[in-house]
């Protein structure tokens, strides 16, 4: 997957526990299990609120005639409201933080962020498992299917993939034109869960639609964020895993993993050596495996 592709605007809700829930075109919140985010509290209505995407980079929250209302930055929602990066949403006793990429595209920060916004980024670097997933033949799919069908397929795929990742402590951090980037902070205790998530994604690949590729690399990544601003993940290893996905496409391989991943993963599942390959921009050959 080329990093130059136009990226879909990315937004999510961060729970008090720190878990992100990805927002696509429409995101429903309430007590009923059919919602995208179920909040199992007595003071939350069955269908409490909805967040809808408008245009390329605008998200609005609507109160669905709830009993106890919705608050944004402490103010009771009286009509649909445009959300800004960093807004705090309160539904019953549950609180969430709205996060959105490309915040510089918006006309201005929310009133809660005004006056307190800082421009310096806080950067942390961690050892991470990096995973890229990409739908095969996405361009052709768009040419032969109605846009609404493609959108539903993509959203269903994202939701199920995100559920698999979340179940095993992975974080879907960014949507791309036809896929996503996810990560885990590396620690020996999380590695069996990562292997289990990869096994479930492999089973998911066996289904008819959509066909997709997976690339996994173990390296370091820097996480940069700012108050009232955007959130980024970056490093040569992030670029490397994107280039791995391009290599998987060239090799017609549904799954490709780097040598550091294979050294650990082989203790949890069978891996198969694919040989050494050049990676564009990295100047030498690297060993790759499949699982």
């Amino acid at each position: 997957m080329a990093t130059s592709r136009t990226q879909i605007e990315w937004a999510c809700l961060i729970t008090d526990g720190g878990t992100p829930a990805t927002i696509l075109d429409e995101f429903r919140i309430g007590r009923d299990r059919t919602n995208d985010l179920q909040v199992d509290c007595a003071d939350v209505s069955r269908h409490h609120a909805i967040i809808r995407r408008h245009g390329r980079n605008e998200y609005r929250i609507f109160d669905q005639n709830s009993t106890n209302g919705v608050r944004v930055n402490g103010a009771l929602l009286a009509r649909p409201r445009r959300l800004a990066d960093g807004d705090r949403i309160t539904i019953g006793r549950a609180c969430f933080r709205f996060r959105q990429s490309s915040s510089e595209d918006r006309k201005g920060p929310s009133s809660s962020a005004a006056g307190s916004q800082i421009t310096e980024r806080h950067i942390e670097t961690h050892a991470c498992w990096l995973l890229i997933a990409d739908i095969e033949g996405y361009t052709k799919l768009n040419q032969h299917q109605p846009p609404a069908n493609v959108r539903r397929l993509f959203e269903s795929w994202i939701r199920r993939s995100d559920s698999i990742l979340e179940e095993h402590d992975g974080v879907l951090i960014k949507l791309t034109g036809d896929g996503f980037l996810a990560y885990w902070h590396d620690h020996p205790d999380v590695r069996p869960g990562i292997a289990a998530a990869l096994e479930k994604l492999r089973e998911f690949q066996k289904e008819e639609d959509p066909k997709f590729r997976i690339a996994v690399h173990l390296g370091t990544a820097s996480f940069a964020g700012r108050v009232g601003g955007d959130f980024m993940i970056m490093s040569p290893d992030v670029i490397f895993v994107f280039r791995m996905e391009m290599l998987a496409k060239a090799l017609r391989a549904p799954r490709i993993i780097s040598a550091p991943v294979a050294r650990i993963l082989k203790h949890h599942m069978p891996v198969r050596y694919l040989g050494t390959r050049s990676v564009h921009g990295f100047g030498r050959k690297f060993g790759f495996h499949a699982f």
Side-chain angles (χ1 to χ4, degrees), residues 1-273:
M1 183 192 306
T3 55
S4 61
R5 291 178 184 170
T6 300
Q7 291 182 339
I8 290 176
E9 189 73 11
W10 172 80
C12 72
L13 286 184
I14 306 294
T15 67
D16 281 346
T19 302
T22 303
I23 300 170
L24 297 175
D25 289 339
E26 192 171 273
F27 188 86
R28 297 178 181 273
I29 308 166
R31 195 175 71 250
D32 194 90
R33 62 186 301 176
T34 61
N35 290 282
D36 298 296
L37 180 61
Q38 184 184 15
V39 183
D40 192 14
C41 296
D43 54 356
V44 175
S45 298
R46 290 180 64 250
H47 301 285
H48 200 108
I50 185 169
I51 297 173
R52 288 196 179 104
R53 176 178 174 153
H54 293 260
R56 180 171 177 266
N57 63 354
E58 182 176 328
Y59 294 83
R60 296 177 187 171
I61 186 166
F62 300 74
D63 187 342
Q64 297 290 90
N65 298 314
S66 66
T67 302
N68 295 309
V70 177
R71 292 184 180 272
V72 179
N73 301 322
L76 188 65
L77 193 68
R79 58 184 179 273
R81 171 171 173 164
R82 182 176 180 177
L83 293 171
D85 181 65
D87 279 349
R88 188 164 183 81
I89 300 168
T90 305
I91 294 176
R93 286 168 289 176
C95 295
F96 310 96
R97 182 74 66 179
F98 176 77
R99 299 308 309 268
Q100 180 181 2
S101 66
S102 301
S103 59
E104 65 275 11
D105 291 340
R106 298 192 307 276
K107 293 182 179 179
S110 65
S111 58
S112 66
S116 65
Q117 199 168 17
I118 61 174
T119 56
E120 290 186 3
R121 296 180 183 274
H122 176 64
I123 300 176
E124 296 182 352
T125 300
H126 301 276
C128 290
W129 292 66
L130 301 163
L131 182 149
I132 287 287
D134 191 76
I135 294 177
E136 295 182 17
Y138 191 72
T139 300
K140 185 179 293 185
L141 188 65
N142 275 277
Q143 292 171 346
H144 293 85
Q145 292 282 346
N149 289 357
V150 176
R151 184 185 66 199
R152 282 193 293 268
L153 179 67
F154 182 78
E155 291 180 355
S156 175
W157 176 66
I158 287 291
R159 285 194 180 94
R160 185 164 169 190
S161 299
D162 190 30
S163 177
I164 291 171
L165 293 165
E166 184 178 353
E167 181 184 355
H168 299 285
D169 299 319
V171 178
L172 194 159
I173 191 172
K174 186 181 287 293
L175 298 179
T176 60
D178 48 9
F180 63 82
L181 169 65
Y183 77 93
W184 290 264
H185 289 317
D186 183 42
H187 187 276
D189 291 344
V190 305
R191 292 172 179 177
I194 295 172
L198 295 179
E199 181 62 42
K200 287 187 177 182
L201 287 171
R202 178 166 66 175
E203 290 299 313
F204 187 14
Q205 283 181 310
K206 295 178 181 178
E207 298 184 12
E208 187 63 27
D209 286 317
K211 295 294 185 183
F212 62 97
R213 289 180 295 273
I214 298 170
V216 188
H217 178 49
L218 176 58
T220 60
S222 296
F223 297 79
R226 62 186 181 189
V227 176
D230 55 5
F231 183 74
M232 299 173 61
I233 177 172
M234 53 194 177
S235 74
D237 285 309
V238 174
I239 297 172
F240 187 81
V241 75
F242 273 91
R243 301 284 168 81
M244 283 178 59
E245 192 278 326
M246 295 171 63
L247 177 60
K249 180 179 181 180
L251 295 174
R252 298 181 181 274
R255 295 171 299 278
I256 189 169
I257 57 177
S258 64
V261 170
R263 282 195 291 270
I264 296 170
L265 205 59
K266 68 182 181 181
H267 300 295
H268 301 278
M269 64 173 65
V271 299
R272 176 171 57 87
Y273 186 53

